[in-house]
Amino acid sequence: MIYWQLILVYLKIGMFGFGGGYAMLSLIQYEVVDHHHWLTLQQFTDVVAISQMTPGPIGINSATYVGYTVIEQTGAPEFLCILGSFTTSLAVVLPSFIPVLLISYFFVKCKDNKYIKAAMSGLLPMSVSLIAAAALLLMNKENFIDYKSILIFAAAFGVTWKWNLHPILLII
């Protein structure tokens, strides 16, 4: 029964948690602490801290931790706690995974369509400009870009442009 509750709660969080993991935190807190009383506020604060320290998205990390902890509090053996982690992690990503899967299937079928090609050629510069806008927003007094950063960027850009070096090799 608790597994179904966890699945339904995290499907809802995944479906309505717009804006990334940090935007999901208030919804997660409402469901986990206020509504279902699975965790105390102190435990939830610990979840957020642990989720920030571990690699990966905070929404999935917190889902993993909550799933484990909630099942553990029932006195279940460790393998069932791990199953709780898995189910909450899966439930929080399914609402975004399924539409992306369907869109990619549609895109593969229609990639040669002239309208799809035109839309994709229009999206490419827009994507680049959105990334550039984010970079410009981050350039302020606290994050000033010095000449060393500009030289590293120029060298990396030049190497990538001229020799088509894989980004991982470039980072190494």
Side-chain angles (χ1 to χ4, degrees):
M1 181 64 180
I2 189 73
Y3 286 101
W4 286 113
Q5 288 177 330
L6 283 168
I7 289 169
L8 292 175
V9 164
Y10 273 92
L11 281 172
K12 180 168 46 169
I13 290 169
M15 199 173 306
F16 298 111
F18 297 108
Y22 290 104
M24 287 181 182
L25 286 180
S26 61
L27 183 56
I28 295 170
Q29 179 183 349
Y30 170 76
E31 289 292 338
V32 171
V33 176
D34 300 334
H35 187 254
H36 292 283
H37 307 288
W38 289 328
L39 300 178
T40 65
L41 190 56
Q42 180 59 48
Q43 286 175 313
F44 182 74
T45 304
D46 293 343
V47 166
V48 173
I50 290 169
S51 297
Q52 287 176 330
M53 292 187 307
T54 53
I58 191 169
I60 296 171
N61 290 346
S62 63
T64 303
Y65 184 83
V66 168
Y68 187 93
T69 304
V70 168
I71 301 300
E72 182 183 47
Q73 289 173 353
T74 65
E78 188 173 357
F79 75 93
L80 290 178
C81 299
I82 293 170
L83 182 63
S85 292
F86 178 76
T87 55
T88 52
S89 300
L90 184 64
V92 80
V93 298
L94 271 180
S96 57
F97 175 75
I98 291 171
V100 168
L101 187 66
L102 293 173
I103 289 169
S104 64
Y105 176 77
F106 170 76
F107 179 73
V108 168
K109 293 287 185 188
C110 301
K111 67 182 177 187
D112 294 328
N113 183 300
K114 68 178 182 178
Y115 299 110
I116 299 291
K117 282 184 178 180
M120 290 296 123
S121 66
L123 287 175
L124 182 62
M126 184 181 72
S127 300
V128 171
S129 65
L130 286 172
I131 293 169
L136 290 173
L137 284 173
L138 292 174
M139 286 195 293
N140 52 39
K141 289 183 219 174
E142 291 81 21
N143 296 320
F144 183 72
I145 296 178
D146 59 351
Y147 73 93
K148 290 183 247 176
S149 300
I150 293 171
L151 288 175
I152 291 170
F153 169 75
F157 183 80
V159 167
T160 303
W161 185 268
K162 180 152 176 93
W163 291 291
N164 200 18
L165 190 64
H166 194 278
I168 299 295
L169 293 174
L170 191 62
I171 290 169
I172 291 171

